[in-house]
Each structure stands twice: as C-alpha cells, then as structure tokens.
Amino acid sequence: MAELFVLEFEGFDQKDYEKVNSALGIDMATGAGDWPPGLLTHSAGRTDKGWMVVEVWESREAQDKFMKSQLGAALQQAGVDRPPLRADWTSLHAHHQPNRAAG
C-alpha cells in the first residue's frame, strides 16, 4: 500500500518552495515537469512555522531514490541549509483519488 510522507520546514516560504521546484524542473502553476517516478500525489502550503509538504509515494524507497538523486541537490541549490523540522512516514491503509479518471 502507499506511503504518506510529511515534511515541515521552519523559516521556509513560498519563494523557497518555488526555487526548489524550479531546480527540479517542475512548474507548480501548470503541473508540468519532470515528476519523480513513484510519486502519487503532492501538496504543499504555508504553516504557522514555515512550509509543509505532504506527499503520497508508492514506496519509501522511491522517495529515498528521489531524495538522493534530485531533491537533495535542489534543496541545496535553493539555499535550504537546515534539515526539516518534521519528516514523518505513515503506511496508509487506503489511498484513493476519487475524481481522477482511471487509466
């Protein structure tokens, strides 16, 4: 079953988020770009402390491969030099995208 990953960054804002996505070649306004294999859903937004990213992955291994091959460098390129305040995994009992066409 799918894995939920929650990252929370303190002192991180929308500009930082956009820098990271630019380094990854992903356009959040259109959804176009080079999304990593194994990523099922991605959501992000502001929190009281900074920024939160919530993702659903096919596996923890897929996210780890993405972190090592692309995301770590993109974070560094964007000037993100502190570890996340929170990085939590949850094995999901269910994961559905009800309004997404089957394909």
Side-chain angles (χ1 to χ4, degrees), residues 33-87:
D34 188 21
W35 291 93
L39 178 63
L40 302 176
T41 59
H42 172 91
S43 300
R46 190 178 68 78
T47 68
D48 290 342
K49 296 179 182 178
W51 200 259
M52 180 180 287
V53 175
V54 178
E55 298 177 326
V56 178
W57 288 84
E58 289 178 354
S59 68
R60 295 179 188 200
E61 293 78 19
Q63 195 283 333
D64 186 58
K65 183 176 179 181
F66 173 60
M67 175 62 81
K68 290 176 179 172
S69 67
Q70 293 176 275
L71 184 56
L75 287 164
Q76 188 174 36
Q77 185 177 338
V80 179
D81 57 1
R82 291 187 293 176
L85 185 63
R86 175 180 173 202

Short mmCIF file of all heavy atoms in Angstrom, two decimals, residues 33-87:
data_model
loop_
_atom_site.label_atom_id
_atom_site.label_comp_id
_atom_site.label_asym_id
_atom_site.label_seq_id
_atom_site.Cartn_x
_atom_site.Cartn_y
_atom_site.Cartn_z
N GLY A 33 6.24 19.13 -15.84
CA GLY A 33 7.61 18.96 -15.40
C GLY A 33 8.01 17.51 -15.25
O GLY A 33 7.27 16.60 -15.57
N ASP A 34 9.19 17.35 -14.71
CA ASP A 34 9.81 16.04 -14.56
C ASP A 34 9.52 15.48 -13.17
O ASP A 34 10.38 15.49 -12.29
CB ASP A 34 11.31 16.18 -14.80
CG ASP A 34 12.02 14.84 -14.85
OD1 ASP A 34 11.36 13.82 -15.09
OD2 ASP A 34 13.24 14.82 -14.63
N TRP A 35 8.29 15.02 -12.97
CA TRP A 35 7.89 14.46 -11.67
C TRP A 35 8.61 13.14 -11.44
O TRP A 35 8.80 12.36 -12.37
CB TRP A 35 6.38 14.25 -11.64
CG TRP A 35 5.61 15.53 -11.62
CD1 TRP A 35 5.11 16.20 -12.70
CD2 TRP A 35 5.27 16.32 -10.48
NE1 TRP A 35 4.48 17.35 -12.29
CE2 TRP A 35 4.55 17.44 -10.94
CE3 TRP A 35 5.50 16.18 -9.12
CZ2 TRP A 35 4.07 18.42 -10.08
CZ3 TRP A 35 5.01 17.15 -8.26
CH2 TRP A 35 4.30 18.26 -8.74
N PRO A 36 8.99 12.85 -10.22
CA PRO A 36 9.74 11.63 -9.96
C PRO A 36 8.86 10.37 -10.04
O PRO A 36 7.69 10.40 -9.67
CB PRO A 36 10.25 11.82 -8.53
CG PRO A 36 9.31 12.79 -7.90
CD PRO A 36 8.84 13.68 -9.01
N PRO A 37 9.45 9.29 -10.52
CA PRO A 37 8.73 8.01 -10.52
C PRO A 37 8.35 7.62 -9.10
O PRO A 37 9.12 7.82 -8.17
CB PRO A 37 9.75 7.02 -11.10
CG PRO A 37 10.79 7.85 -11.75
CD PRO A 37 10.80 9.17 -11.06
N GLY A 38 7.16 7.09 -8.94
CA GLY A 38 6.70 6.63 -7.63
C GLY A 38 5.93 7.64 -6.82
O GLY A 38 5.33 7.29 -5.81
N LEU A 39 5.94 8.91 -7.24
CA LEU A 39 5.17 9.94 -6.53
C LEU A 39 3.73 9.90 -7.02
O LEU A 39 3.46 10.05 -8.20
CB LEU A 39 5.77 11.32 -6.76
CG LEU A 39 5.04 12.50 -6.10
CD1 LEU A 39 5.05 12.37 -4.58
CD2 LEU A 39 5.66 13.81 -6.54
N LEU A 40 2.79 9.69 -6.09
CA LEU A 40 1.37 9.60 -6.46
C LEU A 40 0.64 10.92 -6.31
O LEU A 40 -0.18 11.27 -7.15
CB LEU A 40 0.69 8.52 -5.62
CG LEU A 40 1.29 7.12 -5.73
CD1 LEU A 40 0.60 6.16 -4.76
CD2 LEU A 40 1.20 6.61 -7.17
N THR A 41 0.90 11.65 -5.23
CA THR A 41 0.29 12.97 -5.03
C THR A 41 1.27 13.87 -4.29
O THR A 41 2.12 13.39 -3.53
CB THR A 41 -1.03 12.91 -4.23
OG1 THR A 41 -0.78 12.33 -2.95
CG2 THR A 41 -2.10 12.11 -4.94
N HIS A 42 1.12 15.17 -4.53
CA HIS A 42 1.97 16.16 -3.89
C HIS A 42 1.11 17.37 -3.55
O HIS A 42 0.39 17.88 -4.41
CB HIS A 42 3.10 16.59 -4.84
CG HIS A 42 3.90 17.75 -4.34
ND1 HIS A 42 5.04 17.58 -3.59
CD2 HIS A 42 3.73 19.08 -4.47
CE1 HIS A 42 5.53 18.78 -3.29
NE2 HIS A 42 4.76 19.70 -3.81
N SER A 43 1.21 17.84 -2.31
CA SER A 43 0.51 19.05 -1.86
C SER A 43 1.47 19.82 -0.98
O SER A 43 2.32 19.23 -0.29
CB SER A 43 -0.74 18.71 -1.05
OG SER A 43 -1.64 17.95 -1.82
N ALA A 44 1.34 21.16 -0.99
CA ALA A 44 2.23 21.96 -0.16
C ALA A 44 1.56 23.28 0.19
O ALA A 44 0.70 23.76 -0.56
CB ALA A 44 3.54 22.23 -0.90
N GLY A 45 1.95 23.85 1.32
CA GLY A 45 1.41 25.14 1.72
C GLY A 45 2.04 25.68 2.97
O GLY A 45 2.81 25.00 3.65
N ARG A 46 1.68 26.90 3.27
CA ARG A 46 2.21 27.64 4.41
C ARG A 46 1.66 27.10 5.72
O ARG A 46 0.51 26.68 5.80
CB ARG A 46 1.84 29.11 4.26
CG ARG A 46 2.53 30.03 5.24
CD ARG A 46 2.16 31.49 4.99
NE ARG A 46 0.77 31.78 5.30
CZ ARG A 46 0.30 31.96 6.54
NH1 ARG A 46 1.09 31.85 7.58
NH2 ARG A 46 -0.97 32.24 6.74
N THR A 47 2.50 27.13 6.74
CA THR A 47 2.09 26.82 8.11
C THR A 47 2.47 28.00 8.99
O THR A 47 3.11 28.95 8.54
CB THR A 47 2.80 25.55 8.64
OG1 THR A 47 4.19 25.84 8.82
CG2 THR A 47 2.61 24.37 7.72
N ASP A 48 2.11 27.93 10.27
CA ASP A 48 2.49 28.99 11.20
C ASP A 48 4.01 29.11 11.35
O ASP A 48 4.52 30.18 11.63
CB ASP A 48 1.88 28.73 12.57
CG ASP A 48 0.38 28.92 12.59
OD1 ASP A 48 -0.15 29.56 11.66
OD2 ASP A 48 -0.26 28.42 13.53
N LYS A 49 4.73 28.01 11.16
CA LYS A 49 6.18 27.99 11.34
C LYS A 49 6.96 28.10 10.04
O LYS A 49 8.16 28.33 10.06
CB LYS A 49 6.59 26.72 12.07
CG LYS A 49 6.05 26.62 13.47
CD LYS A 49 6.48 25.33 14.11
CE LYS A 49 5.88 25.23 15.51
NZ LYS A 49 6.24 23.98 16.16
N GLY A 50 6.30 27.88 8.91
CA GLY A 50 7.03 27.91 7.65
C GLY A 50 6.26 27.28 6.51
O GLY A 50 5.31 27.86 5.99
N TRP A 51 6.61 26.04 6.17
CA TRP A 51 6.06 25.40 4.97
C TRP A 51 5.94 23.90 5.21
O TRP A 51 6.78 23.29 5.85
CB TRP A 51 7.00 25.65 3.80
CG TRP A 51 6.36 25.48 2.47
CD1 TRP A 51 6.48 24.39 1.65
CD2 TRP A 51 5.52 26.40 1.78
NE1 TRP A 51 5.76 24.59 0.50
CE2 TRP A 51 5.17 25.82 0.55
CE3 TRP A 51 5.03 27.66 2.09
CZ2 TRP A 51 4.34 26.45 -0.37
CZ3 TRP A 51 4.22 28.30 1.17
CH2 TRP A 51 3.88 27.70 -0.03
N MET A 52 4.87 23.30 4.66
CA MET A 52 4.65 21.87 4.79
C MET A 52 4.44 21.26 3.42
O MET A 52 3.77 21.84 2.57
CB MET A 52 3.42 21.58 5.67
CG MET A 52 3.15 20.09 5.85
SD MET A 52 1.71 19.77 6.89
CE MET A 52 2.38 20.20 8.49
N VAL A 53 5.02 20.08 3.23
CA VAL A 53 4.83 19.30 2.02
C VAL A 53 4.25 17.96 2.45
O VAL A 53 4.77 17.31 3.37
CB VAL A 53 6.16 19.08 1.27
CG1 VAL A 53 5.96 18.17 0.06
CG2 VAL A 53 6.76 20.43 0.84
N VAL A 54 3.16 17.56 1.78
CA VAL A 54 2.51 16.29 2.07
C VAL A 54 2.46 15.51 0.76
O VAL A 54 1.91 16.00 -0.23
CB VAL A 54 1.08 16.49 2.64
CG1 VAL A 54 0.41 15.16 2.88
CG2 VAL A 54 1.13 17.33 3.91
N GLU A 55 3.05 14.33 0.77
CA GLU A 55 3.11 13.52 -0.45
C GLU A 55 2.67 12.10 -0.18
O GLU A 55 2.81 11.60 0.94
CB GLU A 55 4.55 13.48 -0.98
CG GLU A 55 5.07 14.84 -1.37
CD GLU A 55 6.51 14.82 -1.82
OE1 GLU A 55 7.32 14.02 -1.31
OE2 GLU A 55 6.83 15.64 -2.70
N VAL A 56 2.19 11.45 -1.22
CA VAL A 56 1.92 10.03 -1.17
C VAL A 56 2.81 9.38 -2.22
O VAL A 56 2.84 9.80 -3.39
CB VAL A 56 0.43 9.71 -1.44
CG1 VAL A 56 0.21 8.21 -1.44
CG2 VAL A 56 -0.47 10.38 -0.40
N TRP A 57 3.56 8.39 -1.78
CA TRP A 57 4.51 7.67 -2.62
C TRP A 57 4.12 6.20 -2.74
O TRP A 57 3.50 5.65 -1.83
CB TRP A 57 5.91 7.74 -2.00
CG TRP A 57 6.53 9.08 -2.11
CD1 TRP A 57 6.36 10.16 -1.28
CD2 TRP A 57 7.41 9.53 -3.14
NE1 TRP A 57 7.09 11.22 -1.73
CE2 TRP A 57 7.75 10.87 -2.87
CE3 TRP A 57 7.97 8.92 -4.27
CZ2 TRP A 57 8.60 11.60 -3.68
CZ3 TRP A 57 8.82 9.65 -5.07
CH2 TRP A 57 9.13 10.97 -4.79
N GLU A 58 4.52 5.59 -3.83
CA GLU A 58 4.32 4.15 -3.98
C GLU A 58 5.10 3.38 -2.92
O GLU A 58 4.65 2.35 -2.44
CB GLU A 58 4.76 3.69 -5.38
CG GLU A 58 3.84 4.14 -6.48
CD GLU A 58 4.32 3.72 -7.86
OE1 GLU A 58 5.44 3.17 -7.98
OE2 GLU A 58 3.57 3.95 -8.81
N SER A 59 6.29 3.93 -2.57
CA SER A 59 7.13 3.28 -1.56
C SER A 59 8.09 4.30 -0.97
O SER A 59 8.38 5.33 -1.58
CB SER A 59 7.93 2.14 -2.18
OG SER A 59 8.90 2.65 -3.07
N ARG A 60 8.59 3.97 0.20
CA ARG A 60 9.61 4.81 0.83
C ARG A 60 10.89 4.79 0.01
O ARG A 60 11.62 5.78 -0.05
CB ARG A 60 9.88 4.35 2.26
CG ARG A 60 8.67 4.54 3.16
CD ARG A 60 8.92 4.07 4.57
NE ARG A 60 7.66 4.09 5.31
CZ ARG A 60 7.58 4.11 6.62
NH1 ARG A 60 8.66 4.12 7.35
NH2 ARG A 60 6.41 4.13 7.22
N GLU A 61 11.16 3.67 -0.60
CA GLU A 61 12.36 3.53 -1.42
C GLU A 61 12.33 4.48 -2.62
O GLU A 61 13.37 5.04 -2.99
CB GLU A 61 12.53 2.08 -1.90
CG GLU A 61 12.82 1.09 -0.78
CD GLU A 61 11.58 0.69 0.04
OE1 GLU A 61 10.43 0.88 -0.43
OE2 GLU A 61 11.75 0.21 1.16
N ALA A 62 11.16 4.67 -3.23
CA ALA A 62 11.03 5.60 -4.37
C ALA A 62 11.36 7.02 -3.93
O ALA A 62 12.07 7.76 -4.64
CB ALA A 62 9.63 5.52 -4.97
N GLN A 63 10.87 7.42 -2.76
CA GLN A 63 11.17 8.77 -2.26
C GLN A 63 12.64 8.90 -1.92
O GLN A 63 13.26 9.92 -2.21
CB GLN A 63 10.29 9.12 -1.05
CG GLN A 63 10.26 10.60 -0.70
CD GLN A 63 11.50 11.11 0.02
OE1 GLN A 63 12.20 10.38 0.71
NE2 GLN A 63 11.76 12.39 -0.13
N ASP A 64 13.22 7.87 -1.33
CA ASP A 64 14.63 7.91 -0.96
C ASP A 64 15.51 8.04 -2.21
O ASP A 64 16.47 8.81 -2.21
CB ASP A 64 15.00 6.65 -0.17
CG ASP A 64 16.42 6.70 0.35
OD1 ASP A 64 16.74 7.64 1.11
OD2 ASP A 64 17.20 5.79 0.01
N LYS A 65 15.15 7.33 -3.26
CA LYS A 65 15.90 7.43 -4.52
C LYS A 65 15.81 8.86 -5.07
O LYS A 65 16.81 9.42 -5.52
CB LYS A 65 15.36 6.43 -5.53
CG LYS A 65 16.12 6.40 -6.82
CD LYS A 65 15.61 5.32 -7.75
CE LYS A 65 16.39 5.34 -9.05
NZ LYS A 65 15.91 4.33 -9.99
N PHE A 66 14.62 9.45 -5.03
CA PHE A 66 14.42 10.83 -5.48
C PHE A 66 15.23 11.80 -4.63
O PHE A 66 15.88 12.71 -5.15
CB PHE A 66 12.93 11.17 -5.44
CG PHE A 66 12.61 12.61 -5.71
CD1 PHE A 66 12.95 13.21 -6.90
CD2 PHE A 66 11.93 13.36 -4.76
CE1 PHE A 66 12.65 14.55 -7.15
CE2 PHE A 66 11.60 14.69 -5.01
CZ PHE A 66 11.97 15.27 -6.21
N MET A 67 15.23 11.60 -3.32
CA MET A 67 15.99 12.48 -2.41
C MET A 67 17.47 12.44 -2.77
O MET A 67 18.12 13.48 -2.88
CB MET A 67 15.78 12.05 -0.96
CG MET A 67 16.63 12.81 0.04
SD MET A 67 16.29 14.59 0.09
CE MET A 67 14.86 14.59 1.14
N LYS A 68 17.99 11.24 -2.97
CA LYS A 68 19.42 11.09 -3.23
C LYS A 68 19.82 11.54 -4.63
O LYS A 68 20.91 12.05 -4.83
CB LYS A 68 19.84 9.64 -3.00
CG LYS A 68 19.81 9.25 -1.54
CD LYS A 68 20.13 7.80 -1.34
CE LYS A 68 20.11 7.45 0.15
NZ LYS A 68 20.24 6.01 0.37
N SER A 69 18.93 11.37 -5.61
CA SER A 69 19.29 11.67 -6.99
C SER A 69 18.94 13.09 -7.43
O SER A 69 19.57 13.61 -8.35
CB SER A 69 18.63 10.67 -7.94
OG SER A 69 17.22 10.84 -7.95
N GLN A 70 17.94 13.73 -6.79
CA GLN A 70 17.50 15.04 -7.26
C GLN A 70 17.15 16.04 -6.15
O GLN A 70 17.60 17.18 -6.19
CB GLN A 70 16.25 14.88 -8.15
CG GLN A 70 16.52 14.18 -9.46
CD GLN A 70 15.22 13.97 -10.21
OE1 GLN A 70 14.50 13.00 -9.96
NE2 GLN A 70 14.92 14.89 -11.10
N LEU A 71 16.32 15.64 -5.22
CA LEU A 71 15.78 16.60 -4.26
C LEU A 71 16.85 17.20 -3.35
O LEU A 71 16.84 18.40 -3.09
CB LEU A 71 14.65 15.99 -3.43
CG LEU A 71 13.95 16.93 -2.46
CD1 LEU A 71 13.38 18.16 -3.18
CD2 LEU A 71 12.86 16.20 -1.70
N GLY A 72 17.77 16.40 -2.88
CA GLY A 72 18.82 16.92 -2.01
C GLY A 72 19.60 18.05 -2.68
O GLY A 72 19.82 19.11 -2.09
N ALA A 73 19.96 17.85 -3.94
CA ALA A 73 20.70 18.87 -4.69
C ALA A 73 19.83 20.10 -4.95
O ALA A 73 20.31 21.23 -4.88
CB ALA A 73 21.20 18.29 -6.02
N ALA A 74 18.54 19.89 -5.24
CA ALA A 74 17.63 21.02 -5.49
C ALA A 74 17.45 21.86 -4.22
O ALA A 74 17.43 23.09 -4.29
CB ALA A 74 16.29 20.52 -6.00
N LEU A 75 17.34 21.22 -3.07
CA LEU A 75 17.24 21.95 -1.80
C LEU A 75 18.50 22.77 -1.57
O LEU A 75 18.42 23.94 -1.20
CB LEU A 75 17.00 20.98 -0.64
CG LEU A 75 15.61 20.36 -0.56
CD1 LEU A 75 15.61 19.16 0.38
CD2 LEU A 75 14.57 21.38 -0.11
N GLN A 76 19.64 22.16 -1.81
CA GLN A 76 20.91 22.86 -1.63
C GLN A 76 21.02 24.04 -2.61
O GLN A 76 21.41 25.14 -2.22
CB GLN A 76 22.06 21.89 -1.83
CG GLN A 76 23.41 22.46 -1.48
CD GLN A 76 24.50 21.40 -1.56
OE1 GLN A 76 24.47 20.52 -2.41
NE2 GLN A 76 25.46 21.50 -0.67
N GLN A 77 20.65 23.82 -3.85
CA GLN A 77 20.70 24.87 -4.87
C GLN A 77 19.79 26.04 -4.50
O GLN A 77 20.10 27.19 -4.78
CB GLN A 77 20.29 24.30 -6.23
CG GLN A 77 20.41 25.27 -7.37
CD GLN A 77 20.06 24.63 -8.70
OE1 GLN A 77 20.10 23.42 -8.86
NE2 GLN A 77 19.69 25.45 -9.66
N ALA A 78 18.66 25.75 -3.86
CA ALA A 78 17.71 26.79 -3.45
C ALA A 78 18.14 27.48 -2.15
O ALA A 78 17.45 28.39 -1.69
CB ALA A 78 16.32 26.19 -3.30
N GLY A 79 19.22 27.03 -1.55
CA GLY A 79 19.71 27.66 -0.33
C GLY A 79 19.09 27.12 0.95
O GLY A 79 19.21 27.74 2.01
N VAL A 80 18.42 26.00 0.86
CA VAL A 80 17.82 25.38 2.05
C VAL A 80 18.94 24.59 2.74
O VAL A 80 19.37 23.55 2.25
CB VAL A 80 16.64 24.46 1.68
CG1 VAL A 80 16.06 23.81 2.93
CG2 VAL A 80 15.58 25.25 0.93
N ASP A 81 19.41 25.11 3.86
CA ASP A 81 20.57 24.51 4.51
C ASP A 81 20.27 23.90 5.88
O ASP A 81 21.17 23.45 6.56
CB ASP A 81 21.70 25.54 4.63
CG ASP A 81 21.27 26.80 5.38
OD1 ASP A 81 20.12 26.87 5.83
OD2 ASP A 81 22.11 27.71 5.51
N ARG A 82 19.00 23.90 6.26
CA ARG A 82 18.62 23.29 7.54
C ARG A 82 17.76 22.06 7.29
O ARG A 82 16.97 22.04 6.34
CB ARG A 82 17.83 24.28 8.40
CG ARG A 82 18.69 25.42 8.90
CD ARG A 82 17.94 26.28 9.86
NE ARG A 82 16.84 26.97 9.15
CZ ARG A 82 15.95 27.74 9.73
NH1 ARG A 82 15.97 27.92 11.02
NH2 ARG A 82 15.03 28.33 9.02
N PRO A 83 17.88 21.05 8.12
CA PRO A 83 17.02 19.88 7.96
C PRO A 83 15.57 20.25 8.27
O PRO A 83 15.30 21.26 8.94
CB PRO A 83 17.56 18.89 8.99
CG PRO A 83 18.28 19.71 9.99
CD PRO A 83 18.78 20.93 9.27
N PRO A 84 14.64 19.46 7.79
CA PRO A 84 13.23 19.75 8.08
C PRO A 84 12.95 19.65 9.58
O PRO A 84 13.58 18.88 10.30
CB PRO A 84 12.46 18.69 7.31
CG PRO A 84 13.44 17.63 6.98
CD PRO A 84 14.80 18.25 7.00
N LEU A 85 12.00 20.45 10.02
CA LEU A 85 11.53 20.41 11.40
C LEU A 85 10.85 19.06 11.67
O LEU A 85 10.92 18.52 12.77
CB LEU A 85 10.54 21.56 11.61
CG LEU A 85 9.98 21.82 12.98
CD1 LEU A 85 11.10 22.19 13.94
CD2 LEU A 85 8.96 22.95 12.93
N ARG A 86 10.23 18.53 10.63
CA ARG A 86 9.49 17.27 10.74
C ARG A 86 9.63 16.51 9.44
O ARG A 86 9.56 17.08 8.36
CB ARG A 86 8.02 17.60 11.00
CG ARG A 86 7.09 16.43 11.02
CD ARG A 86 5.67 16.91 11.28
NE ARG A 86 4.74 15.81 11.14
CZ ARG A 86 3.45 15.95 10.89
NH1 ARG A 86 2.93 17.15 10.77
NH2 ARG A 86 2.68 14.91 10.78
N ALA A 87 9.83 15.20 9.54
CA ALA A 87 9.86 14.30 8.39
C ALA A 87 9.28 12.97 8.85
O ALA A 87 9.97 12.16 9.46
CB ALA A 87 11.27 14.12 7.87
#
